[in-house]
């Protein structure tokens, strides 16, 4: 099944073509005068199980009979397909005519919706076209239904061709009809309502009684129809014997049709207008994809198409199921007029409203929780309706994430005035778009303005030409597609070479998470070198990831170019590359070394992967020396302290110089630094204080987190874990308060005193949230699982799917810590004294 739900004016975007009868409404009027198989022909043939080919199949009697029989069958196939699309076309014309009578009736009253002149312009020649086709259909239908070798219908096609002059009049008026309809819509609400939803009758044998179509789309149908009739004449002639009475009549009809097409090609031929550039070269699609546009202050998902000489921004129109989907052009910029504003020019642009991290994290957890519910339903052979509902919910949440997480601005400016702003989550993608546009701009391009017909044809071509079919969310993946990796990727960025001149260089790492790419780590800047040696290790959390990207930048220190907007990256990309994360290759215990070549630069790195359930294990403690992985009671007893020395020292250092560091505790420190600090604390080295004062603050924060993560038992203990889970789920505030305080009181003294010490520190960090961007919720998300997640023996019952662990339990662990962080100060002595408060037992 294909679960591709839409949102924000996006429809379900299935990969498969709609299976409804093809209507006479290809969105693209390619006026092709060469013989070709009709779309119906090939579709029908496959449905009935016989691949249609010009060569006759065996088993149909003698050669002559076989050819005649096959030809007769083919003519019937072509005609029944054409009749079906003719019926749809007549219904469309009928729908267009339906509002005409009441509009005419009001035109002579004191409150006309439209004037008679406007009605005449908009509906020009529609009635005549309708009558011609209705008569043709009524004459042809019985002939196809009572089909045999003696049936003739060439005269009907000849008559239809002779009436094409009406179409010439329609085409000449088409542009002004469209413009009039648009103006009337803007100035008259009543007409706007009518023109936005015209009801088209479904075919006789269809389940759908009506579909809603806009007037603009219906006015385009006659233009489209002429081409279809010509194609059908080609096909009929192909399968009509030369000595058949219909043959000369069909030939005549085809000649008239082709001459007619040639005469109006100046008006509608896409090869000479929209699909060719002003210089007459073919306009090709170079790149397309989904981007978030900031439009009038709100985020909208757009499908952006880059053609040879124009960038076009579109959205998918809402259409009924089984109907051709069409794009609606929001704006376009000829590449000759397109410029990228520099950061200083961008200062007047709208400020980007960035969604707080904790809201994004919350949504990720919700999605993970739904994913595990879907897995459970599947495992229990659950109802497909329930799974469908969950998948729909998951799509909505993932769509929200896709829309709200990008924050890197990508600005497009039209020399003639207007600027546009996209938001991307990946600088890699931003540079891909920029490079593709700049490459095309090296050619000699001309500026131009597209007429409304040209624009319509170009937008119509988008649906057929697009290469990206689905919104990039994981719920659009098929079940048999790789789900990607969940867990932790350890990456060491070693070095790079191949730079032509010395520069200040650094790298960033991006991985795809929830369907889109995000930046996860950044090396330090290596100053003034052609061969940077970073040798930095990072632990990157993977959430369904399939690729790793490395970008190499030259650091910009020019004050004039530094932008006030935090997310504006002004550093120059020197090179970029990506590799697939192959689950088999990556999932070994050993480091795997690799090189990414980019733009003549080679970056060396190593990586290894730890699955989430492995990385979440707390290993039982065998050692009694050192502090990491040793019970907290053993350490405090040995040190004769109430709070372990490592906890006190790290917290003191963070409060001294890291409390205003953006993303403190969230941004991971360099893994090699953390390992060095771990070794020093374990050895109780006398140089600890010197080393702490020199060390990067994120490494110190990382060491504190690692200490709690490596405790053989969580700080809030295995024994009380189920009770914490139950306590946080209570609804009555008084009961919850009673229970949560009682649980603290039940902790061993070293655990309780250390927990309260850490709690007060985290509250002080959150007080600086305007500067460090770390809210109580952010801190709870970072520390909750670290302080609560049960050790191996306890969590056996919980360990099912990697994504399971990351869902319901984690959310509850975050909520427990958040509860205490939001609680008024808790004093150890008060807690111990105040037993009256805690009458309930665990």
């Amino acid at each position: 099944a294909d679960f591709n739900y839409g949102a924000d004016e996006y429809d379900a975007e299935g990969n498969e073509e709609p299976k409804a009868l093809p209507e006479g409404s290809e969105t693209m009027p390619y006026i092709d005068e060469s013989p070709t198989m009709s779309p119906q022909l090939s579709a029908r043939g496959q449905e009935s199980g016989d691949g249609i080919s010009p060569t006759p199949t065996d088993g149909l009697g003698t050669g002559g009979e076989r050819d005649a029989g096959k030809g007769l069958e083919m003519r019937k196939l072509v005609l029944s397909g054409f009749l079906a699309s003719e019926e749809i076309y007549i219904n469309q014309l009928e729908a267009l005519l339906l509002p005409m009578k009441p509009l005419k009736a009001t035109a002579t009253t004191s409150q006309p919706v439209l004037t008679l002149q406007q009605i005449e312009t908009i509906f020009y020649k529609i009635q005549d076209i309708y009558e011609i086709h209705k008569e043709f259909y009524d004459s042809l239908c019985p002939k196809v239904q009572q089909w045999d070798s003696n049936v003739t219908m060439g005269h009907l096609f000849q008559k239809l061709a002779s009436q094409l002059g009406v179409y010439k009049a329609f085409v000449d008026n088409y542009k002004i009809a469209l413009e009039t309809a648009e103006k009337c819509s803007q100035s008259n609400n009543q007409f706007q309502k009518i023109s936005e939803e015209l009801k088209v009758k479904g075919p006789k044998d269809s389940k759908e009684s009506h579909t809603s179509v806009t007037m603009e789309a219906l006015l385009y149908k006659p233009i489209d129809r002429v081409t279809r009739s010509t194609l059908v004449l080609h096909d009929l002639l192909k399968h009509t014997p030369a000595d058949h009475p219909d043959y000369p009549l069909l030939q005549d009809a085809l000649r008239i049709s082709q001459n007619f097409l040639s005469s109006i090609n100046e008006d509608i031929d896409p090869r000479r207008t929209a699909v060719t550039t002003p210089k007459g070269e073919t306009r090709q699609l170079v790149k397309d994809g989904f981007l978030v546009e900031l439009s009038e202050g709100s985020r909208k998902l757009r499908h952006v198409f880059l053609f040879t000489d124009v960038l076009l921004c579109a959205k998918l129109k809402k259409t009924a199921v089984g109907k051709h989907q069409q794009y609606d052009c929001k704006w376009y910029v000829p590449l000759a007029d397109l410029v990228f504003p520099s950061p200083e020019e961008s200062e007047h642009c709208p400020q980007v409203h960035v969604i707080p991290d904790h809201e994004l994290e919350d949504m990720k957890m919700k999605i993970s929780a739904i994913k595990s519910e879907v897995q459970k339903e599947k495992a229990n052979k659950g109802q497909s309706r329930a799974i469908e509902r969950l998948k729909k919910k998951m799509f909505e949440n993932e769509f929200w994430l896709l829309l709200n997480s990008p924050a890197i601005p990508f600005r497009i400016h039209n020399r003639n005035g207007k600027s546009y702003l996209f938001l991307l989550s990946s600088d890699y993608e931003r540079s891909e778009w920029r490079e593709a546009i700049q490459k095309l701009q090296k050619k000699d391009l001309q500026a131009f303005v597209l007429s409304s017909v040209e624009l319509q044809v170009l937008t119509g071509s988008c649906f057929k030409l697009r290469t990206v079919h689905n919104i990039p969310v994981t719920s659009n993946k098929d079940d048999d597609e790789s789900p990607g990796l969940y867990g932790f990727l350890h990456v060491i960025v070693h070095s790079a070479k191949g730079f032509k001149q010395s520069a200040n260089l650094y790298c960033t790492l991006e991985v795809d998470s929830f369907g889109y790419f995000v930046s996860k780590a950044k090396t330090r800047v290596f100053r003034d070198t052609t061969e940077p040696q970073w040798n930095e290790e990072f632990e990157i959390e993977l959430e369904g990831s399939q690729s790793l990207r490395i970008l190499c930048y030259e650091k910009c220190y020019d004050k004039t170019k530094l932008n006030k907007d935090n997310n504006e990256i002004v550093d120059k990309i020197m090179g970029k590359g990506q590799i697939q994360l192959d689950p088999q290759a990556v999932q070994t215990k050993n480091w795997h070394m690799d090189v990414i070549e980019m733009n003549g630069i080679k970056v060396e790195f190593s990586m290894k992967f730890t699955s989430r359930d492995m990385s979440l294990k707390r290993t039982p403690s065998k050692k009694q020396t050192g502090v990491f992985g040793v019970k907290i009671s053993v350490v405090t007893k040995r040190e004769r302290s109430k709070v372990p020395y490592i906890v006190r020292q790290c917290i003191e250092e963070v409060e001294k110089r890291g409390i205003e560091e953006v993303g403190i505790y969230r941004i991971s420190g360099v893994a090699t630094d953390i390992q060095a600090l771990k070794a020093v604390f374990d050895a109780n080295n006398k140089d600890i204080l010197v080393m702490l004062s020199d060390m990067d603050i994120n490494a110190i924060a990382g060491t504190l987190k690692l200490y709690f993560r490596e405790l053989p038992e969580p700080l809030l203990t295995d024994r009380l874990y189920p009770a914490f889970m139950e306590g946080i789920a209570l609804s009555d505030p008084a009961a919850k308060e009673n229970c949560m305080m009682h649980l603290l009181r039940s902790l061993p003294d070293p655990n309780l005193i250390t927990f309260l010490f850490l709690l007060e520190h985290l509250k002080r960090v959150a007080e600086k949230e305007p500067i460090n961007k770390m809210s109580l919720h952010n801190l709870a998300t970072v520390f909750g699982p670290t302080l609560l997640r049960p050790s191996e023996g306890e969590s056996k019952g919980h360990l099912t799917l990697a994504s399971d662990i990351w869902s319901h339990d984690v959310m509850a662990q975050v909520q427990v810590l958040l509860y205490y962080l939001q609680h008024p100060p808790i004093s150890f002595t008060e807690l111990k004294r105040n037993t009256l408060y805690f009458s309930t037992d665990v």
Side-chain angles (χ1 to χ4, degrees), residues 44 122 175 245 374 447 469 499 551 583 592 679 751 782:
R44 292 294 167 128
I122 294 169
K175 195 172 169 185
V374 171
H469 294 270
F499 297 97
L551 293 97
H592 163 72
N751 299 56
V782 171

Side-chain angles (χ1 to χ4, degrees), residues 332-346:
Y332 70 90
V333 181
L335 298 190
D337 294 328
L338 188 152
V339 285
F340 299 114
S342 63
E344 53 269 28
E345 292 169 312
S346 311

Side-chain angles (χ1 to χ4, degrees), residues 38 129 141 158 242 322 403 413 672 677-678 690 757 802 838:
S38 82
I129 293 174
C141 200
Q158 193 183 32
L403 212 54
H413 181 67
T672 38
L677 278 171
K678 177 182 173 180
V690 177
F757 187 75
F838 318 104

Side-chain angles (χ1 to χ4, degrees), residues 468-532:
V468 180
H469 294 270
N470 288 327
I471 298 171
V473 292
T474 56
S475 40
N476 275 351
K477 281 186 183 175
D478 290 334
D479 291 346
D480 53 1
E481 277 186 69
S482 161
L485 293 167
Y486 286 86
F488 294 91
L489 186 69
H490 300 264
V491 181
I492 302 175
V493 182
H494 297 294
S495 60
K497 46 177 170 282
F499 297 97
K500 304 275 185 294
Q501 56 206 58
S502 284
N504 303 312
L505 303 163
Y506 70 93
C507 282
T508 64
L509 307 177
E510 289 183 358
V511 293
D512 51 328
S513 143
F514 293 91
Y516 57 90
F517 278 85
V518 280
S519 184
K520 288 280 195 174
K522 180 176 171 181
T523 67
R524 64 186 186 278
V525 178
F526 215 97
R527 294 281 188 119
D528 200 18
T529 179
T530 54
E531 292 199 2

Side-chain angles (χ1 to χ4, degrees), residues 152-170:
T152 60
M153 39 66 204
H155 59 289
L156 297 177
F157 277 93
Q158 193 183 32
K159 185 178 178 187
L160 187 65
S162 69
Q163 294 166 307
L164 280 171
V166 178
Y167 273 93
K168 173 74 177 136
F170 173 83

Side-chain angles (χ1 to χ4, degrees), residues 57 115 130 285 323 378 403 427 449 463 615 644 732 765 806 825:
T57 50
T115 65
Y130 170 75
L285 179 67
K323 289 283 172 279
K378 282 185 181 164
L403 212 54
D427 198 28
V449 175
F463 186 77
S615 64
D732 176 52
V765 171
W806 215 235

